[in-house]
Amino acid sequence: MVRFSVVEGKEEKRRKLLRPSSSCLPSDGEGEDDDDGGGNSSSAHKEAVTVLIDPDVLDCPICCETLAPPILQCNNGHIACLSCCTKMKKCHSCYFPIGPNRCLALENVIESIKVPCPYASSGCGEIISYAQRRSHEETCIFSPCFCPIAECTFAGSLQQLWHHFRSRHVDHTNFFLYALPFKVSLDENEPIRVFLGEDNVLFLLLNKSDVPVGNVVTMTCIGPDSLKGDFSYQLTARSKESSVHFESSMENIKRWDGDSPSKDFLLIPRGFCGAQGKLSFDVCVRKKQQ
Ligand SMILES: [Zn+2]
Ligand SMILES: [Zn+2]
Ligand SMILES: [Zn+2]
Ligand SMILES: [Zn+2]
């Protein structure tokens, strides 16, 4: 059986603990604090303990996702998450009706468990609720992002990736300043161009050339979900006689898989390529609140 320790702490050695369950029933809100006013303050004086726990008992037995309040149970004590109970109505184990009875004891245990961010070694000092760890991993600024250069396997935090790019791919490095338009000349078959922003963020200009009527071009940034909506961009492709313009908010990815997004793109007619097979752009990236 795989076991792991439940830990809490900030500096120095991180203390491992499972906080003793509160005598208060959880509220309908997040209920993360164990003494949210009016509770038994004596629980705050109980000693923290270190435990080893089978992580499987903290997962919904049906969908295997991490349990989070409300946790529902049947009359025989079998538990399931709210999402599964809503779909199934009956217990998966004994077929008794399940819900609306909540398993408050397990809810208290799960809410009391704190763990360090899994990316602590990359610099994250967050101590997070076990139930919230997945959502934190998606947004953690220290979660790994992958180098977009073909055949490079580097992965690291946003800051590590930025420094990696500067030191290892200097030939591909294009710097720019937010809100200042800059010109880009792209080979019509060049699938990707990388730009480095001011604050450790990498941006990709993605070009799909196997479209019958021309090229499909879009931009995205590399980073965790916490960057979603932080940037917008404008692309203007020019030929001798005309231009096409596109504006959009910026999506984020952690890894480029070689594909271009299938929505929110600029379609550049085939005739925009110059005699040397080049596409010419004006690009402007803005950071929110600029
Ligand atoms: Zn479930
Ligand atoms: Zn049951
Ligand atoms: Zn983190
Ligand atoms: Zn690389």
Side-chain angles (χ1 to χ4, degrees):
M1 180 173 64
V2 177
R3 285 173 174 262
F4 75 104
S5 55
V6 182
V7 298
E8 178 172 300
K10 283 189 178 174
E11 304 297 336
E12 309 167 0
K13 307 168 193 172
R14 297 181 187 278
R15 290 189 306 153
K16 300 177 178 179
L17 69 85
L18 173 60
R19 192 182 302 168
S21 59
S22 164
S23 60
C24 301
L25 291 180
S27 66
D28 288 334
E30 293 179 0
E32 192 164 307
D33 294 330
D34 60 356
D35 189 0
D36 54 359
N40 183 354
S41 61
S42 68
S43 65
H45 302 300
K46 289 182 182 174
E47 254 184 56
V49 293
T50 299
V51 298
L52 292 175
I53 192 166
D54 179 351
D56 286 349
V57 303
L58 303 177
D59 293 341
C60 171
I62 301 171
C63 66
C64 299
E65 292 294 322
T66 302
L67 285 165
I71 301 167
L72 303 179
Q73 62 180 343
C74 73
N75 286 343
N76 285 328
H78 302 122
I79 58 165
C81 74
L82 177 63
S83 170
C84 288
C85 288
T86 305
K87 290 177 200 153
M88 299 185 64
K89 301 278 194 303
K90 291 190 175 178
C91 174
H92 66 290
S93 188
C94 66
Y95 301 107
F96 272 39
I98 190 165
N101 294 334
R102 289 168 65 173
C103 185
L104 297 177
L106 185 54
E107 287 183 7
N108 278 343
V109 169
I110 284 184
E111 286 190 326
S112 72
I113 297 175
K114 307 289 183 189
V115 292
C117 172
Y119 309 120
S121 61
S122 295
C124 184
E126 293 278 330
I127 302 295
I128 47 184
S129 156
Y130 182 78
Q132 301 296 323
R133 77 191 201 291
R134 290 274 180 251
S135 58
H136 175 79
E137 285 173 25
E138 291 302 314
T139 56
C140 179
I141 201 75
F142 295 95
S143 61
C145 300
F146 295 81
C147 181
I149 298 299
E151 296 172 8
C152 180
T153 58
F154 179 86
S157 69
L158 215 51
Q159 190 169 24
Q160 290 167 337
L161 181 60
W162 197 83
H163 287 296
H164 160 81
F165 215 87
R166 287 193 63 180
S167 61
R168 297 295 177 87
H169 305 299
V170 69
D171 292 345
H172 295 81
T173 302
N174 301 271
F175 294 96
F176 72 94
L177 298 174
Y178 295 135
L180 283 183
F182 56 97
K183 293 194 178 300
V184 176
S185 178
L186 194 72
D187 188 279
E188 65 175 325
N189 296 315
E190 189 177 337
I192 183 174
R193 182 72 65 86
V194 184
F195 302 96
L196 301 186
E198 301 163 37
D199 46 5
N200 301 338
V201 182
L202 270 72
F203 297 86
L204 307 182
L205 180 66
L206 302 173
N207 171 33
K208 195 172 171 62
S209 57
D210 57 352
V211 179
V213 294
N215 289 60
V216 165
V217 178
T218 189
M219 286 193 80
T220 186
C221 63
I222 294 186
D225 287 353
S226 52
L227 293 185
K228 196 183 284 288
D230 275 6
F231 300 97
S232 64
Y233 68 101
Q234 299 174 335
L235 287 176
T236 304
R238 300 186 186 282
S239 68
K240 278 187 179 169
E241 293 85 20
S242 50
S243 64
V244 286
H245 181 76
F246 179 70
E247 296 183 27
S248 178
S249 60
M250 188 92 70
E251 293 292 318
N252 68 294
I253 56 173
K254 289 185 177 178
R255 182 201 294 260
W256 180 55
D257 59 7
D259 252 354
S260 292
S262 56
K263 66 182 184 82
D264 296 338
F265 51 77
L266 173 64
L267 176 60
I268 304 173
R270 183 70 70 207
F272 272 58
C273 275
Q276 296 174 329
K278 297 280 187 185
L279 293 169
S280 298
F281 297 96
D282 292 334
V283 181
C284 185
V285 176
R286 293 180 192 279
K287 193 169 183 179
K288 213 171 172 181
Q289 296 175 337
Q290 268 194 329

